[in-house]
Amino acid sequence: MGLVGGGELEGTVALSEIPARARTPEQRSGGGTPGDIMWQSSPPGSIYDYIKVASFSIGPDGLIDQWSLRAEQLFGVPAREAVGKDPIEAFVPAELRDLGHRKVAEILDGREWTGVVPFRMAADGSMSGIAEVYVMPTETEHGDKAAVCIVVDVRALRRIETDLAASQAIFGQSPFGFLLFGTDLKVQRVNRRFASVFGGEGDEHRGRTVNDYLPRQEAERLQAALRHVLETGESVTDMQLVGPAPGSNNDRRHWSINLYRVHSGSGRPIGIAGLGTDVTRRHAAAREAAHARRNLALLNEAGARIGNSLDLETTARELLDVTVPVFCDLASVDLYQGLLDGDEAAQVGSLADGSAELRRVAFASAVSDAPLQDEGAAPVTVGAVHRYAFNSPCADALRTARPVTISGGDENGLVQSTLAVPMVAHDTVVGLARFSRAKGSEPFGERDRALAVELAARAAVCIDNARLYRREHERALILQRSLLPPGDPEASGLDIACRYLPGNAATEVGGDWFDVIELPGHRTALVVGDVMGRGLRAAVAMGELRTAVRTLALLDLEPAEVLSALDEIARGLGNPGHTAGGQLRPPQSPQSTRRALQGRDVDPSEVYLATCVYAVYDPVTRRCTFANAGHLPPVLVEPGEAAQMLEVPPGMPLGVGGEPFEEVEVELPEGALLALYTDGLVESRDHPLDEGLRAFRDAITPPADGPGEPHSLEDACDHVLGALDTHHGEDDIALLMARVQGLPGEAVGDWTLPREPRSVGRAREYARAQLLAWDLEPLVDTTELLVSELVTNALRYGEGDIRLRLLLDRTLVCEVWDAGLVQPRRRRARDTDEGGRGLQLVGLLSASWGSRRTPRGKTVWFELPLPDGEPSAEPSVEALLSMF
């Protein structure tokens, strides 16, 4: 019968079920004979692989004469045991055997029969299952009646039905798009969900390709993935695809596709299953989350990078560095011109037409280096002053302090949208920030608008802080210039250089000070002091003390007397009740004084303490008189020698009181270097005072192998500051260096006159001869007249011998000495008085005049400027008549 050995149906496979790579070239090209195609050997992969159909035949005698291999598997009986047996007796239960024999007889009579028959295993005789039997009558080659039986296990059928139902439920009822591709990558089947999304019935999608659903680029990606899965068997999970929504060209949808290869029961690939999920909302949520993370990161970066500099322009550039190109493609910052000029009242509407005048302080672009150009307006470069028209969106944003979105707006058509955001700090608009995105970028949304406002607000606060700092800085500089001497102070017989480094970089003022004060007789007072504390409080106290020092210096008091008066003033600045009458050891620095006060339960914030060293230098004798109020000792460097600290007794700091101050007079060699300084130069947390003093002496001592000519004092100051740790920021630093250059002998005229009337004439002769020797003939007449007046007063009101001295330096100074203690007093003479107008004449004809006490009397002096080649101004008639 041709159905033996279990090989039934194993050679009949359709060509469409043969994989392309398994076909012959003739099959792939459509050639070959029908027999070649029909009997090509390949795994079946048909329904029979799952049903497991078995067959056997019954001979004319009603006994089994053929038993297939599938029958052996189904019934568990080998062919040698089954052939020759009565199938009814062997497999049918006893109570059904009569019915079974009748059916077999009918079949052998030529009737077909199909039915369900319970069967049992021959080995143990127990009931094993239910078989569906299809009996077909046939004839032997001798014409005898026989039958062929095809048997299927009903359990396998039920299992297949269950699997099909489950597969149909999963495929058809899935809420996700489900589709099956054949080996030709065409759609074989889709579920209802897929059809509902893309339209039409499920059968209408059969035979379509991915090009019918996706744009070309995405379709090529998916087709390549399908081909890869079919050839390798590797699954693809969560493949992201983007395409227009069905029926719309603008609405973009996002899908996640999972692909896996489908096999037949024998393992042959028969297609690819695809599961598609619409993840547009998830993608939008992820995008929003990404935007939120980006915005948060941007704000975090803005907080870290914006405002690191207290400079208006730098802060504006920092804002653009953060936003371009992360947030926008182009950006600019405009600040009010009045804000930059210091005119804080300049706001919108300050011009006649009500427009806003601003200066562009920063611009950045990731797409073009050309300045941003508004429609109908000229391009604005960085640094240019411009204004927005009153009816422009930018002017409206400045007036209302609200951001404005502008579509397009540039002359070159580069910009797609712009956000004009006013920069508001403390309810004050300080400028305008513009953020622009070029065409092709995503337009600004509400989230972007809120972020831009936040970024502009942060930058505005920093810019406002920079503005306030600039204002305070300018005020501090004004205060500093008013409290400190000019940068290049001049003094007779001294070459001077100085440095001042405030410990507080914010205010740039502190409690340290130095001063160079010109005294009569070409003498110079050198002062260095240090008020305890830092900042404006110390600076104010320093200013009061410095003013007091200058006032006391004009009285020409001795250094010790100046410090005593300063001590009284300092005690009056604070609360003297806590410190008066106490006994304190002389301190070495304000820090030690503070520690001493704390040990006595005194609040240092209520006490104004200061240290000060006051020195008076006479260029004629090159002698310098020092007095010290708790300050560090001066340092002297003699030519060719190492630096040494002068032994000046350290008195009590100013403000402590109760102790007198001592004076020390030192003769300074020609070319010697004198240094006065504050403790901030030599003392810090990392460097003790002794170590700092040693380092200072080493730095100020010139090298032994150095050049013979001394370096400039400016270089010496820079060398000292560079060699020491001057950047610790713990205390202010003041350094005053002076190189001794005494007046030469030919610049001094000194005569002693007896106490007799003819000394007046001699004084005029001495003065005339000396001035002619100095080539100062234009000053002869005036000097003669004034010298005669002073010598005459010394004869009338003074005591002892008279000394006349002329000093020539930057000016001409005339001094008249006597032993009398009565100071001259200028008064207005009456009309009837014959005298009393001498000092008025001296005051009228001289640049300045005065008197001072000396250890053995007094000195009256006057000063005349040197001629500069132009005729000197004669006193007016009104000035001369005012004396009468």
Side-chain angles (χ1 to χ4, degrees), residues 800-822:
D801 291 339
I802 300 172
R803 182 182 178 187
L804 172 63
R805 191 168 73 168
L806 294 179
L807 305 177
L808 176 62
D809 193 58
R810 291 176 295 117
T811 60
L812 176 66
V813 175
C814 176
E815 297 177 333
V816 176
W817 306 41
D818 69 82
L821 298 179
V822 178

Side-chain angles (χ1 to χ4, degrees), residues 559-568 612 626-630 649-663:
E561 295 177 338
V562 171
L563 293 185
S564 297
L566 280 180
D567 180 56
E568 294 295 331
C612 179
F626 296 91
N628 191 353
M652 300 300 295
L654 303 177
V656 176
E659 294 291 337
F661 297 97
E662 300 182 37
E663 291 182 357

Side-chain angles (χ1 to χ4, degrees), residues 762-839:
R762 290 182 181 179
R764 287 197 299 267
E765 293 175 0
Y766 291 149
R768 169 181 287 275
Q770 186 65 65
L771 291 181
L772 293 177
W774 286 340
D775 292 329
L776 296 178
E777 185 176 357
L779 301 181
V780 170
D781 294 340
T782 302
T783 304
E784 279 188 309
L785 176 61
L786 299 184
V787 165
S788 63
E789 289 292 337
L790 294 186
V791 173
T792 300
N793 285 343
L795 288 174
R796 287 183 178 182
Y797 308 110
E799 299 177 2
D801 291 339
I802 300 172
R803 182 182 178 187
L804 172 63
R805 191 168 73 168
L806 294 179
L807 305 177
L808 176 62
D809 193 58
R810 291 176 295 117
T811 60
L812 176 66
V813 175
C814 176
E815 297 177 333
V816 176
W817 306 41
D818 69 82
L821 298 179
V822 178
Q823 296 290 327
R825 182 173 60 88
R826 182 178 177 180
R827 64 183 181 85
R828 179 175 293 276
R830 294 190 297 271
D831 295 342
T832 58
D833 292 341
E834 296 182 359
R837 298 178 179 86
L839 291 181

Side-chain angles (χ1 to χ4, degrees), residues 826 828 840-841 844-845 874-884:
R826 182 178 177 180
R828 179 175 293 276
Q840 285 184 270
L841 186 63
L844 180 65
L845 297 180
E874 297 293 338
S876 63
V877 176
E878 290 79 5
L880 293 175
L881 292 178
S882 66
M883 296 187 299
F884 299 93

Side-chain angles (χ1 to χ4, degrees), residues 720-736:
V720 169
L721 295 180
L724 302 180
D725 179 20
T726 59
H727 302 288
H728 51 76
E730 298 175 12
D731 199 2
D732 308 322
I733 295 174
L735 174 62
L736 176 62

Side-chain angles (χ1 to χ4, degrees), residues 1-19:
M1 293 183 291
L3 297 173
V4 295
E8 56 269 31
L9 304 177
E10 291 187 358
T12 58
V13 180
L15 179 60
S16 60
E17 297 177 47
I18 302 175

Side-chain angles (χ1 to χ4, degrees), residues 161-181:
E161 291 176 355
T162 302
D163 292 345
L164 288 175
S167 299
Q168 181 61 31
I170 294 174
F171 190 84
Q173 301 176 19
S174 172
F176 309 109
F178 218 140
L179 69 164
L180 182 65
F181 294 93

